[in-house]
Amino acid sequence: MKTLFLKPGILAALSIAAAMSLATQLVGQPATAAQPPGPALPGLRQLLDTPLRDTSICRGPGGYYMTGTVEPFYGFNEGIKLWKSPDLTNWTALGFVWKYGASPWHKPYLEKKKPLWAPEVHYLKNTFWLTYSMPGWDGPTFEKMQKTSGSGLLKSTTGKPEGPYQDVQPGERMGDEIDASLFQDDDGTVYFLWHSGKIARMKPDMTGLAEPYRWLKTSVADPNPRHHSGLCANIFGKDSFDHVGYEGMFLFKANGRYHLCCAEHFDGRYSCTIATSTHLYGPYGERYEALPHAGHNTFYRDERGQWWSTYFGSDGKAPWQERPGLLPVEFDGAGRLRPKTP
């Protein structure tokens, strides 16, 4: 049976019951027991047997911190939960550290009981930051939902992971789509990024954007239809093939290059695709499938210099689905990121 994948933005237009039923049909079972990672992802291990999508991990004072989309994935899930670990093995649940609804721009989302998606945790400028997103409601088509989706940024006012957190721009959404993230360059400048390549420099105090956003794309098109989500035509245009991916943007710098990461469907796999550049705003070169089955992930470097990728699993052939995982990665001779060879 052919396996299809839908971004939750499509499912959000349906009733919760219908969405859950359709998600099971299109993505597979809501969650499966952990299976051996197989040759595609050596070193992959499951962190918790807790339902979670869009896994995000960062290093901070006292250890490692993890968040992601919590259940119900396609219904009203209230806000953001955090977990803490000293060693990436033993995890302590911190529970909800923030629930959405207080900011004026949240009102229509709260009235419609929209879910909160893909929060990320970052430690920058001596405090914790959480990005967050909420899908729109102008369905049933994805292109209409894009018009009312939004994303924002939270700051811990105490410097602690538990918060309390304040919305740095409560009056209006910071990003005009979902899947928000942060990137800090070598000079300390912080950028707000979201969706499929949108990026804007933030003000020095991080209270808002300092410039209009730019949309980072590749300089080499990939017209192979097996390398694109069915949503790509609605997002970018029918004959546009210069995007790194269609959602789940993340950016990091290593070995003098910027690595622009997004999620994309590659031959039925929900994968992490990457394009690189020597300049932040590009041009970015040809994209490639870096990590099969590991779409919408984040990266970090540990105290020993080892790079790691998060994982959650969102396709029927993935080692498991909707549980947080972690795998070591490395750069090959061509400078491309790959799963680390044992």
Side-chain angles (χ1 to χ4, degrees), residues 241-255:
F241 303 106
D242 58 354
H243 46 277
V244 178
Y246 76 102
E247 64 182 15
M249 181 184 178
F250 189 80
L251 183 69
F252 69 97
K253 191 175 184 180
N255 305 323

Side-chain angles (χ1 to χ4, degrees), residues 37-55:
L41 297 174
L44 174 66
R45 65 184 180 92
Q46 187 170 308
L47 300 178
L48 289 173
D49 188 20
T50 299
L52 197 72
R53 293 178 62 88
D54 315 313
T55 311

